[in-house]
Amino acid sequence: MTSPLFKRCAALSIVSLFALGPVLLFAGGAQASYKLTPYQSSRKNAGTPNSTMVKKNSDGVIIAYGDSSITYRAPSSALVTLGAALFQQNCASCHGTQANGVPANGTSGAYPDLVGLGPATIDFWVDSGRMPAANPRSIEANRRVPRLTHDQALAVSAWVNSLSPSFPLIPYPHLKNANVADGAALFALNCASCHTIEGDGDALALGTFSPSLRKIPSIEVAEAIRTGPANMPRFTGNLSDAQVNDIVKYVTTEIQHPNNPGGFGLGGLGPVAEGFVGLAFGVGVLALVGFWVGERDD
Amino acid sequence: MSDVINTKRSKQQALGRYGRVGKTLDELDDRLGVARGGRTFMDKIFPDHWSFMLGEIALYSFLILLVTGVFLTLYFIPSSAIVTYHGSYAPLDGQKMTQAFASTVNLSFAVRGGLLMRQMHHWACDIFVGAIVIHMARVFFTGAFRKPRELNWIVGSTLLILAIVNGFLGYSLPDDLVSGTGIRIAYSIILSIPLVGSYLAFWVFGGNFPGTTIIPRFFILHCLIVPLIIIGLVSAHLFLLVRQKHTQFPGKGRTEQNVVGSPMFPVFMAKTTGFLFIVGGITALLGAFAQVNPIWQFGPYDAARISYAVQPDWYMGFLDGALRIWPSWSFHSWGHTIPFEVLIPAVVLPGLIFNLVFVWPIIERKFTNDNAIHNLLDRPSNRPKRTAAGVTMLSFLGMLFIASSTDVLAKFFNVSLNDVLVSMRYLTVIVPILAFPITYRICHEIQALHGGGRRKTPNVVTRSEEGEYSATPSPRYVDDVPSHLEATPVPTYIHEESDESGDSGVRVVDR
């Protein structure tokens, strides 16, 4: 015969096990901490070149993608002098006077070495306002109002490129012939898994974010695809220039100026915003109407 | 002249006292005997308290779902056959997609009023499930589920499950990128069930994911089978409601043996018909002005494609949240895998929650040893333990719901996604545990308060002859209940109606 006291103790212990078990387990899981790397800048895992149209130079670096949808141009060498001055003013305190990632009194490897990255990379980071970084020690350099003008960004990339001429050059997409529908399909296949299918961007792991694509100019979209800034993979041979062109067209037209009937877009937050509106406005207003129709004296 | 025939008057006399309508009803009564039942129905008493209107929101949004749903079935093609889209939406032109997706895009863009109907259908669904939940919360916190209404509580809880299931099925039908991901998650959840999982998944999907049969199957379930069951259960719900009569809040003239409120005809019918139109109007406003589920932006589903930041509709949020935050536990041995990280949050947890909901009336009877029949409702503050238990459950579900938007929170507050995830794990456990004693405490405080839980009464400010002002509380709480709730005589079946006081039509009816 079991006493009620025993029963109560057993029930209590089971309940407390259920309540405390997850706490302990989560507490254990939280101990396994993670390590952050500044800018997550490994470029080793970039896209796999598999297109037969890709042309490489003797060092195995891709110099062309084989069709004329995008024109790749090196920045004008006339800008090199201006670029050198701008680099010393704005970039050298971290990247070093020789752009090799070694600042004065610093150690090698603390900041990215820019020599040989190609003008498209330099232009992207400066022109998008990510560089000069607001906080050099933060996990991410976020997009903001650019410190340098477009021409100044080109000048900086011209000077860095003059140290060791390299690829990719700055891409100028020709959007007239691009196919939006192909771009939409390629976007869903290659981009939506981070930038979301509506192009709004979202939080990725470990304090990194995929940026919103709503206001990015076409050259920067193409540069990002070809150079793979920060966490983004570098799409090289697996996307032809025509395909990149399609994606850029889709992003700069349908993502940035969507043909979007159906009323207010609710901030592109998807079902979270929809649920909020449905509950707060739909059910909430109807409950208020019920409150108005019904008796409420007690 | 006396033999001049007044045709109008003689016609009126021939029709009888109640005119053409009365005549028709008389004819019906002669054949079907509708008078007795009709009178009972017309005299059904509805308590006037506003919280009794919440269930009606659910009922009327369900009506809107039926009407807009019928419209959508005329244009939607439930087929997984692959077609090439050539329509007015340029970014999809030439893309290959299932007919289900193509027809949904077409009904949104090419059918007059189609997008409005689709959006109204979706909003009505969000409102339907939301109204069920707040109606259920009202029933729970006021103790309306107690004997003799346990059966109706179970019917209502089943309705909630069916509403959630049908919402998920309908959300999946367009076969867009986002809902396709949802179907994939459902497939994985079925797979996670030990022993039978893979057989069950193949049985439901007619083979491996995605297959071509799941859209037609979901269509039949969504448009025929589940709605039929819902209609049947709603009828049972309302039948039980009429049979057992409404509960009511305690007050002067209100006892366990009577119901005080407005009769079905004419007072309540006028109110409720107006309410139906308001529910329709709010749904139409949302459908017209607030975009919902823009599938053309998502594109067609393809197993190789995935979008980030995908959440389900809000009523599935607690499941998605549980899946997101559950630690990655799994069992691998003897050539078998049991993925506890899917099985527990997506199968065991909702099973436990809904079972708890179903048996709650029995649990409460066991704990309180209260086997009496209850027609008077509790104030939530007078039942602190029940209220605290309810708030605990709601806060647990609320935390899971919030956990389904970890990525949105991380983006919005600009913090690390991992930190949000870990904090949600802690909060989901801690917040409900804290919610119980806090609610319990608040209930006790309200009990101790004079007039707590009542509306505030105005102070009467008077100016004396000397010009001095003084404020005295109006004496509402002294006699507590307005006098018009005094019982008025009830007309019984077939007797001529006596002259009533005409005072807002409030009646008292014996049970």
Side-chain angles (χ1 to χ4, degrees), chain B residues 3 10 15-16 32 71 88 99 142 184 234 281 321 343 391 394 406 461 463 466 484:
Chain B
D3 56 342
S10 67
L15 277 172
L32 302 172
F71 181 92
S88 55
Q99 228 166 8
T142 58
R184 172 68 224 192
V234 165
L343 181 68
V391 170
L394 281 181
T406 42
V461 180
R463 182 174 183 266
E466 288 78 35
H484 76 264

Side-chain angles (χ1 to χ4, degrees), chain A residues 23 25-27 34 181 192-193 197-198 200-203 206-207 254 260-262 264 271 274 291 295-298, chain B residues 48-50 91 93 119 123 289 291 293 296-297 307-309 311-312 327 329 407 411 416 418-419 426 429 455 476:
Chain A
V23 175
L25 280 164
F26 293 152
Y34 39 78
S193 52
I197 191 69
E198 291 179 308
D200 283 307
D202 206 353
L206 305 176
E254 295 300 327
N260 207 3
F264 299 113
E274 287 164 9
F291 186 66
E295 197 71 37
R296 49 195 176 274
D297 267 347
D298 58 326
Chain B
D48 290 312
H49 195 263
W50 67 271
D93 193 42
Q119 299 207 136
W123 283 123
F289 291 111
Q291 187 188 58
N293 203 16
W296 53 90
Q297 286 183 22
S307 169
Y308 195 44
Q311 295 95 12
W329 306 336
D407 57 317
K411 185 188 176 197
S416 166
N418 304 48
D419 295 344
Y426 283 106
V429 176
R455 293 178 87 200
R476 245 302 285 291

Side-chain angles (χ1 to χ4, degrees), chain A residues 5-44:
Chain A
L5 184 71
F6 172 75
K7 265 189 190 171
R8 206 170 291 176
C9 285
L12 196 73
S13 62
I14 290 169
V15 167
S16 57
L17 199 73
F18 268 92
L20 290 176
V23 175
L24 295 173
L25 280 164
F26 293 152
Q31 293 301 311
S33 64
Y34 39 78
K35 221 173 181 184
L36 303 176
T37 28
Y39 300 105
Q40 317 260 317
S41 56
S42 162
R43 291 170 190 283
K44 299 279 195 293

Side-chain angles (χ1 to χ4, degrees), chain A residues 19 22-23 25-27 30 34 180-181 184-185 188-189 192-194 196-198 200-207 209 250 254 258-266 269 271-272 274-275 277-279 281-283 285-287 289-298, chain B residues 48-50 53-54 57 89-91 93 95 109 115 119 123 126-127 130 134 177 254 271 275 278-279 282 286 289-294 296-298 304-309 311-312 314 327 329 379 405 407-408 410-411 414-419 425-426 429 455 476:
Chain A
V23 175
L25 280 164
F26 293 152
Y34 39 78
V180 175
L189 204 54
S193 52
C194 288
T196 81
I197 191 69
E198 291 179 308
D200 283 307
D202 206 353
L204 302 176
L206 305 176
F209 294 84
Y250 179 70
E254 295 300 327
N259 162 26
N260 207 3
F264 299 113
L266 304 183
L269 290 175
V272 173
E274 287 164 9
V277 169
L279 290 181
F281 185 76
V283 182
V285 167
L286 287 172
V289 171
F291 186 66
W292 172 57
V293 172
E295 197 71 37
R296 49 195 176 274
D297 267 347
D298 58 326
Chain B
D48 290 312
H49 195 263
W50 67 271
M53 308 292 276
L54 298 175
I57 303 177
Y89 188 65
D93 193 42
Q95 281 202 45
F109 285 116
L115 183 57
Q119 299 207 136
W123 283 123
D126 279 1
I127 292 174
I134 54 167
L177 187 60
R254 295 174 188 170
K271 265 188 193 177
F275 203 44
I278 289 170
V279 173
I282 295 282
L286 278 170
F289 291 111
Q291 187 188 58
V292 66
N293 203 16
W296 53 90
Q297 286 183 22
F298 304 155
R305 297 178 185 176
I306 184 86
S307 169
Y308 195 44
Q311 295 95 12
W314 77 266
W329 306 336
R379 290 200 167 282
S405 57
D407 57 317
V408 179
K411 185 188 176 197
N414 201 19
V415 287
S416 166
L417 181 65
N418 304 48
D419 295 344
R425 284 179 180 170
Y426 283 106
V429 176
R455 293 178 87 200
R476 245 302 285 291

Side-chain angles (χ1 to χ4, degrees), chain A residues 219-230:
Chain A
I219 292 181
E220 281 180 33
V221 178
E223 282 174 342
I225 294 171
R226 284 303 187 206
T227 66

Side-chain angles (χ1 to χ4, degrees), chain B residues 44-315:
Chain B
K44 155 79 184 148
I45 296 297
F46 288 84
D48 290 312
H49 195 263
W50 67 271
S51 65
F52 289 75
M53 308 292 276
L54 298 175
E56 279 166 51
I57 303 177
L59 181 64
Y60 295 142
S61 48
F62 181 62
L63 286 185
I64 295 163
L65 281 172
L66 288 182
V67 173
T68 51
V70 166
F71 181 92
L72 296 179
T73 50
L74 301 180
Y75 299 98
F76 177 72
I77 305 170
S79 161
S80 295
I82 302 291
V83 294
T84 308
Y85 175 82
H86 293 291
S88 55
Y89 188 65
L92 292 175
D93 193 42
Q95 281 202 45
K96 288 202 179 348
M97 55 185 66
T98 59
Q99 228 166 8
F101 183 78
S103 62
T104 314
V105 173
N106 270 333
L107 90 82
S108 303
F109 285 116
V111 174
R112 195 178 298 271
L115 183 57
L116 177 68
M117 285 294 174
R118 224 194 95 222
Q119 299 207 136
M120 276 178 73
H121 194 70
H122 201 122
W123 283 123
C125 170
D126 279 1
I127 292 174
F128 179 49
V129 188
I132 293 178
V133 170
I134 54 167
H135 170 63
M136 198 169 167
R138 198 278 293 173
V139 167
F140 180 85
F141 287 117
T142 58
F145 58 84
R146 289 173 301 175
K147 191 176 173 184
R149 296 182 178 77
E150 300 99 327
L151 182 61
N152 225 7
W153 169 260
I154 289 171
V155 170
S157 310
T158 316
L159 278 170
L160 173 64
I161 297 174
L162 288 176
I164 292 175
V165 166
N166 218 25
F168 172 74
L169 294 176
Y171 178 77
S172 304
L173 280 182
D175 202 26
D176 58 279
L177 187 60
V178 176
S179 71
T181 312
I183 300 181
R184 172 68 224 192
I185 294 172
Y187 181 80
S188 304
I189 289 172
I190 302 175
L191 273 185
S192 77
I193 299 169
L195 301 178
V196 293
S198 30
Y199 301 100
L200 209 58
F202 269 50
W203 178 69
V204 171
F205 282 73
N208 207 345
F209 178 86
T212 53
T213 49
I214 197 64
I215 295 293
R217 286 181 182 186
F218 274 14
F219 181 74
I220 296 294
L221 280 170
H222 176 75
C223 303
L224 186 70
I225 297 172
V226 182
L228 270 184
I229 303 175
I230 290 181
I231 290 171
L233 286 180
V234 165
S235 313
H237 202 62
L238 295 181
F239 171 77
L240 285 173
L241 171 100
V242 173
R243 183 87 183 82
Q244 297 180 324
K245 298 206 167 73
H246 266 83
T247 52
Q248 60 189 350
F249 281 105
K252 199 174 185 184
R254 295 174 188 170
T255 67
E256 292 281 8
Q257 276 76 42
N258 67 6
V259 204
V260 179
S262 307
M264 180 71 179
F265 186 83
V267 180
F268 186 74
M269 198 171 266
K271 265 188 193 177
T272 200
T273 312
F275 203 44
L276 164 66
F277 289 128
I278 289 170
V279 173
I282 295 282
T283 315
L285 275 180
L286 278 170
F289 291 111
Q291 187 188 58
V292 66
N293 203 16
I295 52 144
W296 53 90
Q297 286 183 22
F298 304 155
Y301 182 67
D302 167 15
R305 297 178 185 176
I306 184 86
S307 169
Y308 195 44
V310 172
Q311 295 95 12
D313 266 354
W314 77 266
Y315 42 82

